[in-house]
Every structure is written in structure tokens, then in C-alpha cells.
Amino acid sequence: MSGLTHKIVDMSEIHKFIFEGLPVRGAVVRLTDAWTEILRRRASNTTHGAYPPPVQSLLGEMTAAAVLMQSNIKFNGAMVVQVFGDGPVKLAVVEVQSDFSLRATATVNGEIDPHASLSQMVNVGNEGRCAITLDPQDRQPGQQPYQGVVPLFGDAREKLEKFSDVLQHYMLQSEQLDTTLVLAADDKVAAGLLIQRLPMAGRGNLSGRASQADEDQIGRNEDYKRIAILAASLKRDELLTLDVETILHRLFWEEQLLRFEPLQGETGPRFSCSCSRERVARMLQGLGQAEADSILQEREVIEVGCDYCGVQYRFDAVDAAQIFMGTPLPLPPAPLQ
Ligand SMILES: [Zn+2]
């Protein structure tokens, strides 16, 4: 190192494992640089500014969860986790590609109490929703991405106050998968632990809703129950402050874990935004020339900022003329709603 400061890079990582001989799998994700990059870009965005702490926690937990779920499926495309809120948080969205490049953003309108609960942010009038979308990389025009949507309520119509509960409920209701999730996020780390009972052989998730008998059967596995109880004993601050080895040892030292090579660095979770000037130009085309001209008359330049990465795209009258004179660009993919 010859006197140069050796910079220790705290890399984001995913550790997957299975419980040997048992129909249970798991994963731990710890996002450090990938998460702080999202926060740094938001904080330096003069239009929005830093997230209030409860929004930061929600978005961090969603990001960790989206990485866990992407790591759990064989799928070439984007895993998109969205919360559509009816309170001061209108939208929180995380997109994780199959190569674990990811981005996330939230739309906040109005004041947020520093101790605001999940429902006070996104489910004030009982209209909040969580959507999980799988958008294939090679999606054909007209093909709809796969999407499941759940309200932010439990089985007894109680408002759910933890995002992990929303997802556990989603996994059971929509995918018939018994899942235990522990999620936590602060201004440095977004982390999560997922434990899932492997689907039973010959029973896919495509046949619609499971019957009550099926659901009882799902919960009846003693091995899964034992491991789920251990997993659920993990505290938020342990998840945020302990390294993965320590977490797994503390929780599962009596279990036989088969570990996979962790994914980190180039192959691990990392921030990346897929926005481009061309995409914004296509969006302006969709807006129409009249609208673009009227903005240009007011401000001389059309400015479009990317909510994910903060990049500002500027189009002056010459740029706009090119957009509307040129051959029509292909339409952007349908927005995910
Ligand atoms: Zn961007």
C-alpha cells in the first residue's frame, strides 16, 4: 500500500443457503454501498431532499426485500416492488434486475411525523396497496408483466404496520409460500433475512388460490416452524449491526446449513439507473408537441429529472424540434401500475 490510504469498501452482499435435508431455504442480504448511494443521490437532489426517517426505513426495507425475492427466483427480468400509498407517501418503488443492479425511489407529499407508522404513511384511508411485478427482459409488445397486488391488511382486516408482514401475507396469499422475513434499514444499511418453505412437489403457484386445507398443510411443517421461530427472533438492530456470519451462527448454530458462494461486488447488489436521454425524449414525444412548445415558451428549456438517480435531462427548442421532426421513436414500455 506504500503509505496510500487503503480504503475498505463495505460491499453489499447476498448470502443464500438451504437447510440440509429439510424443505427450507433462506437468504440474508446486507446492502451498504448500494443503499447509501440511493440515499446520497436523494439527499443531493435539490428538488426533493433527503427522505424523512420513516420513509427511509420503509424504502430500505423494501429494497432489501426486493433483492431477497429476486435472489429466490429463476427469472430474467426486473423484480419491481411497489407500495401505492393513500397518505403522505404516494409511491415507493424498488426495481431489482436479475444481475442485482437496483434502484429505488419514493414520492413524498406533505409532512411526515418522525415516528409515523407504515399505515400513517401509506394506508390512511385503507386504500394502500403493495404490488409485486415480474417484468421479463424479453417482454414482447402487448405482453403484460406478471403482477400480484395485495392490500395492506392482515387476515383479520387489521392494518399491517410492518412491511415484512405485508410481504409475508403476499407470499402466502398469492404464491402459497410460507415465508418469514425480518427487515431493517437505517441511513447506512438496508438488510433482510428471508426463510421460506420450499414449495411442495407437484404443487405449482399457477393454479390460483390454495384451499384452507392447503394453507393448513403449508404451516404444518415442524422443521419450517422451528426455523421460522429462530429467524423471527432476530432483532432489527442485530440485523443492522452484525455481519452475516455472526447472524447465521447465532440463529442457526444447531442447524445444518448448506451455504452458497456469496454474491458481492460485480455480481452482488449495486446501484444502477437505467434512465437515458433517449427514454426521456420518447416520454416528451408521448407528451406531444403542443405541450412541449408551451413549456418552452414559459421556460426556454424543458428539464426532466430522474427520480431514481437525480440526473437532470435538459431539452431546448432545438432539441425539441429534433424530437418532433425526426422519425417517430418506438413507444416506451407500458408503465407498471
Ligand atoms: Zn436515472
Side-chain angles (χ1 to χ4, degrees), residues 41 103 271 273-276 306-311 313:
R41 284 170 181 266
R103 60 181 191 168
F271 175 82
C273 190
S274 52
C275 70
S276 69
C306 175
D307 280 348
Y308 290 97
C309 69
V311 167
Y313 295 97

Side-chain angles (χ1 to χ4, degrees), residues 172-173 176 178 197 200 203 209-221:
L172 194 59
Q173 294 295 312
Q176 287 86 56
D178 228 333
R197 190 178 190 274
M200 276 181 282
R203 220 176 58 99
R209 304 205 168 273
S211 68
Q212 189 58 47
D214 284 342
E215 288 190 15
D216 290 346
Q217 180 64 31
I218 290 170
R220 203 174 283 156
N221 187 297

